[in-house]
Structures are given as structure tokens and as C-alpha cells.
Amino acid sequence: MAKEFKTIDQLVELMESRGIVTDKKTAAAIKRESYYAIINGYKAPFLDREAMKSSADDVYLEGTTFQQIYDLFMFDRNLRESTFPYLTAAESALKNAVVYAFCERNRDAEAYLERSNYTSAKDMLVPKSYQGNKAEEHATNMANLMKILNGKLTNKKKMRPFVKHYLNSYGKVPLWVLQNDLTFGNIAHFYQLQKRGVQNAACKIVGEISGRGVRLNPHDLLRAFDVLVGYRNICAHDERLYCATVKGARFADMFDELCVVLPEGDTHAMIDTLNSLIRAYQGRISTEVLVQINTEMGVKFANQS
């Protein structure tokens, strides 16, 4: 049964009944951001787990204030805003590398629509720990990718203006044009279904972009796609970031994947930004949460800066 609607005043009373100390700014914050986004999203570090064993409702640690929860909420928002530009830079670099590698080896404008230009199920790239059915996954991924690619060229209601222009002017839309209408996730699946020659070429391009002198292999790039696509979507959709895990990768691991793709200047700038953010919230976030954040992010970044 769905929970009944509660007014702002009722939500404030609900928090107080569960042990959260509110103040005169609480109602305005809830009205602006919503109770669900703040409390349900960021309550976990403040819950009294022992007391909740004998309670049907949430019980908060003694002394917990709404402002503490709201500060964590705002920290996470600032963290997303600070991280997102680097994820979009990595997205652009990875998309361009894969599309260039494919087009260089498949010069026909519509080569990406030909299944023969993709890998077989037997040779499809999968994580080293993969234990699924490659044949089934290959068939599903190929069918989905072809549907997406063809849909971009046939659905006139959703067709982007630049796609329509190329279609009307030249009769064909090359992949290097269509890539601007493909998501990070689309290109990740496209990369996974490439033949090894294209994947190796994409790895070489990414290595040149990062300029770190590290030789990448196709599995390295697949891992980067898996992790960075997930974190990019978390930031884009305003989901909780500070404690997120994507494919087993926490925030600091995501930073490692950014280092695979971006030049050192970019990742050093990100370190400086994040360290400044953490310092700005010292004293505003509870000690336990701040220790966790520093362990996952601050200490790691400080050691690399």
C-alpha cells in the first residue's frame, strides 16, 4: 500500500518523532528539495541500527540534526557537479576513439549497419570474470544495437536535425556524424561488439589522448567503459554518488579509470577540486561520514596530488 501524502509540517513532525533535530530552515529546505531526496537518500549514516532492531520505523542516532543530513545531501550534489565535467570529457574521448578506429577500417558510410563488420559471439569481448552465455548476450546486444542505429535513421519524429540534414543531402549518415546522437552506453556496446583490430586501434588512440605512456589492451578499455558509463549516469540523473558502487568500483576506482582516459593535467585539476570540496565540508559533515569520505576519496587523491 502506498504511503499517504504528508504536508511539509507533517514531514517536519515525522522527523522530530524519529529523533531528528530540526530548525527554522528545515521546512524551506524540504519544500525546495523534497523530503524523499534528502532524508531517504542520505539517512543511512545517521540511523541507529541497534535501536531499529526493535522498531518498525527509522530511529536516528542521538543528536542527529536535519542540517547534518542536509549537509551530506549538499556535499553529494557538489561532488556530482565537480565530477561530471571530467566524466563527460572521458565520454567524448572514448566515443571519438572508438568511432574513429571503426571508420578508419570500414570506410563505407553505412558500414556500421552491416552485421558482418562486427565480431562473432565466440570472439566477443567480455570481462575476464564473465561466466554468462556469450552466444545469448551477443545475439541480444547485436539486436539491440542494430535497432538503435537503424532507429536513429528511420524515426522521423525523433530524428535529430543534423541527422536529417545528412540523410536529405547525401542519402547516408556516416557513423562519425551519427555518434553525436548516440549515448555513452550505446558506444560502450558498440565497442564490445567490435573486432579485435578496431578495439586495439581504439586502445592506441586513448593511450595517445591520455599521454601517460601506458599501453592499454581491449579489456582495459572495456572496464573503463563499464565503470565510467555507470558513474556518468549517476551524475546525470542526480543519484547518490559519495557511496556509489558501479561494477564493483567505488569512487576512487572510478578516478583510476578516468586516469586511463584523460591527460594528467585534467586529473590533477580534478584532484585539486575534490580536495577543496572536502576541506570546505570539514566540520559540517559528521566525523564518521567524513572519515568514510576521506578514506574513499580524500586520502587517495591527496597521495596523488
Side-chain angles (χ1 to χ4, degrees), residues 104-115:
E104 187 178 34
R105 285 156 181 73
N106 301 277
R107 298 299 180 94
D108 184 82
E110 294 184 324
Y112 62 95
L113 298 175
E114 296 293 331
R115 289 181 179 240

Side-chain angles (χ1 to χ4, degrees), residues 72-253:
L72 181 57
F73 168 84
M74 289 303 300
F75 171 85
D76 203 39
R77 170 175 288 173
N78 293 157
L79 182 63
R80 288 193 298 271
E81 292 172 350
S82 298
T83 303
F84 193 53
Y86 298 97
L87 288 166
T88 56
E91 174 183 1
S92 179
L94 285 169
K95 288 173 70 173
N96 285 329
V98 172
V99 170
Y100 185 91
F102 178 87
C103 292
E104 187 178 34
R105 285 156 181 73
N106 301 277
R107 298 299 180 94
D108 184 82
E110 294 184 324
Y112 62 95
L113 298 175
E114 296 293 331
R115 289 181 179 240
S116 60
N117 291 323
Y118 293 83
T119 191
S120 65
K122 175 178 175 294
D123 295 325
M124 184 180 70
L125 185 67
V126 294
K128 293 180 180 179
S129 60
Y130 182 80
Q131 296 182 343
N133 187 311
K134 286 181 69 173
E136 290 182 2
E137 182 169 343
H138 180 270
T140 298
N141 289 353
M142 277 298 303
N144 290 340
L145 182 62
M146 288 295 112
K147 181 178 180 180
I148 289 169
L149 294 175
N150 282 289
K152 300 291 185 182
L153 305 173
T154 58
N155 191 331
K156 294 184 178 180
K157 290 184 178 180
K158 295 183 178 180
M159 190 179 294
R160 300 286 293 276
F162 61 87
V163 174
K164 186 178 296 185
H165 166 73
Y166 260 83
L167 202 56
N168 292 337
S169 299
Y170 306 105
K172 298 179 180 179
V173 182
L175 183 61
W176 48 266
V177 171
L178 190 65
Q179 79 173 82
N180 294 314
D181 194 24
L182 296 174
T183 68
F184 200 4
N186 294 157
I187 296 295
H189 288 300
F190 181 84
Y191 168 76
Q192 185 182 23
L193 292 166
Q194 291 310 301
K195 295 178 179 179
R196 199 66 81 237
V198 171
Q199 291 171 342
N200 285 331
C203 289
K204 183 179 179 181
I205 294 170
V206 172
E208 292 169 350
I209 291 170
S210 70
R212 296 171 188 264
V214 177
R215 185 172 181 177
L216 304 174
N217 64 55
H219 279 102
D220 295 331
L221 218 57
L222 181 65
R223 178 62 175 171
F225 266 114
D226 283 345
V227 173
L228 297 180
V229 167
Y231 273 99
R232 185 264 183 212
N233 291 339
I234 285 173
C235 290
H237 301 147
D238 285 334
E239 296 174 7
R240 192 170 53 233
L241 177 60
Y242 85 96
C243 60
T245 302
V246 174
K247 303 284 186 177
R250 295 185 67 88
F251 191 98
D253 302 310

Side-chain angles (χ1 to χ4, degrees), residues 3-57:
K3 295 183 178 180
E4 64 179 23
F5 171 81
K6 287 183 173 60
T7 66
I8 299 296
D9 289 342
Q10 288 174 325
L11 289 171
V12 172
E13 291 175 1
L14 178 63
M15 285 188 285
E16 292 174 342
S17 72
R18 293 178 175 177
I20 299 176
V21 179
T22 64
D23 58 38
K24 61 182 180 181
K25 297 180 180 178
T26 301
I30 292 176
K31 187 177 295 185
R32 183 171 60 249
E33 305 289 356
S34 93
Y35 174 90
Y36 182 84
I38 300 171
I39 301 300
N40 287 36
Y42 296 89
K43 65 184 178 180
F46 306 95
L47 293 173
D48 187 333
R49 301 293 180 180
E50 190 62 32
M52 287 174 60
K53 291 180 180 179
S54 57
S55 173
D57 297 318

Side-chain angles (χ1 to χ4, degrees), residues 238-295:
D238 285 334
E239 296 174 7
R240 192 170 53 233
L241 177 60
Y242 85 96
C243 60
T245 302
V246 174
K247 303 284 186 177
R250 295 185 67 88
F251 191 98
D253 302 310
M254 180 271 292
F255 177 79
D256 287 342
E257 297 303 332
L258 284 175
C259 289
V260 169
V261 182
L262 299 179
E264 286 188 16
D266 288 357
T267 53
H268 284 172
M270 182 177 176
I271 290 170
D272 292 340
T273 299
L274 293 175
N275 279 331
S276 295
L277 177 61
I278 290 171
R279 286 194 296 269
Y281 275 85
Q282 286 179 340
R284 297 173 58 187
I285 299 175
S286 69
T287 302
E288 292 80 4
V289 174
L290 193 57
V291 167
Q292 176 186 340
I293 291 169
N294 278 324
T295 300

